[in-house]
Amino acid sequence: MGIQDTPEEWQVTATVTPFAGNKTSVRTDDVVMPDGTVARRDYQVHPGSVAVLALDEAGRVLVLRQYRHPVRQKLWEIPAGLLDVPGENPLHAAQRELYEEAHVKAEDWRVLTDVYTTPGGCDEAVRIFLARDLSEADGERFEVSEEEADMEQARVPLPELVRGVLAGELHNNCLVVGALSLTAVLAGDGVDSLRPAEAPWPARPFEA
């Protein structure tokens, strides 16, 4: 017997938005608990994200090193970005991020996994893609700014990423989930068992 997450929505008796930022906001809901009491829950409302585990022909993963101010660290990450437009096709967004952050394109795309990053305090949903058959993107490089202007790029063998994850040396959520998921796929049923790139995503519905 398999297990799976299921949709459910408890009654909300009141909602306020004490903060609204450029891309995200904070919402406070009064939620009715199973015993009838009401508890207040604060959480970040997030548009959703995509991430790309780009694997080259040598079995290396494309990674980027970027400063992340909330944790005061430079983290090695896989290319990722926000779903900027409600209902945006996540595959198109992932292709855009791979181009903008790494100036790379890919011919083969699969859904690697879908995750909620911090479901106790944020509704962010992330779709992580596996991208293969890589090549340099056409045209000029995308002009980056702010933290991205300082990014470094590398290609690292997948087993080395897994070693770093398990050693506590690599911490980015999408990199950790992506590297471990791909390792499991390669040790199991193989890449052809993955969902197609346009697979439905109930957490962030989109039009093909």
Side-chain angles (χ1 to χ4, degrees):
M1 179 185 227
I3 63 170
Q4 66 180 45
D5 300 331
T6 56
E8 185 164 340
E9 189 165 349
W10 292 0
Q11 181 184 359
V12 175
T13 60
T15 297
V16 296
T17 304
F19 170 79
N22 185 34
K23 295 291 186 181
T24 67
S25 61
V26 173
R27 182 177 297 166
T28 299
D29 290 345
D30 290 342
V31 185
V32 180
M33 298 289 112
D35 63 0
T37 60
V38 176
R40 181 158 289 178
R41 295 289 178 260
D42 303 316
Y43 59 99
Q44 183 184 22
V45 178
H46 194 286
S49 306
V50 291
V52 184
L53 194 147
L55 187 71
D56 69 14
E57 69 283 351
R60 300 173 303 173
V61 177
L62 191 157
V63 290
L64 307 166
R65 190 170 183 239
Q66 184 172 346
Y67 176 65
R68 294 302 187 183
H69 186 70
V71 296
R72 307 303 199 271
Q73 289 195 32
K74 273 193 170 182
L75 300 181
W76 284 103
E77 308 177 350
I78 57 177
L82 297 176
L83 292 168
D84 292 317
V85 180
E88 182 178 17
N89 187 305
L91 173 59
H92 300 166
Q95 291 169 333
R96 180 188 68 234
E97 293 300 331
L98 185 60
Y99 158 70
E100 291 182 355
E101 294 192 347
H103 200 66
V104 165
K105 63 181 180 179
E107 298 301 322
D108 185 77
W109 291 83
R110 315 288 176 99
V111 174
L112 185 55
T113 190
D114 300 324
V115 295
Y116 291 113
T117 54
T118 49
C122 179
D123 71 351
E124 181 184 15
V126 181
R127 169 157 281 188
I128 304 176
F129 289 91
L130 171 64
R132 299 185 302 166
D133 193 4
L134 308 182
S135 61
E136 185 173 355
D138 301 325
E140 296 182 1
R141 285 187 170 272
F142 181 78
E143 187 174 346
V144 296
S145 61
E146 300 176 343
E147 289 92 343
E148 292 183 352
D150 189 48
M151 282 197 308
E152 304 169 48
Q153 184 177 143
R155 296 194 181 195
V156 180
L158 179 62
E160 178 63 15
L161 290 182
V162 172
R163 185 209 63 77
V165 167
L166 299 179
E169 299 168 356
L170 299 171
H171 307 89
N172 174 262
N173 181 288
C174 292
L175 184 151
V176 170
V177 173
L180 296 182
S181 294
L182 181 57
T183 299
V185 167
L186 296 177
D189 295 332
V191 170
D192 287 340
S193 68
L194 292 172
R195 288 171 289 162
E198 296 277 9
W201 189 16
R204 292 294 184 273
F206 63 93
E207 294 184 7

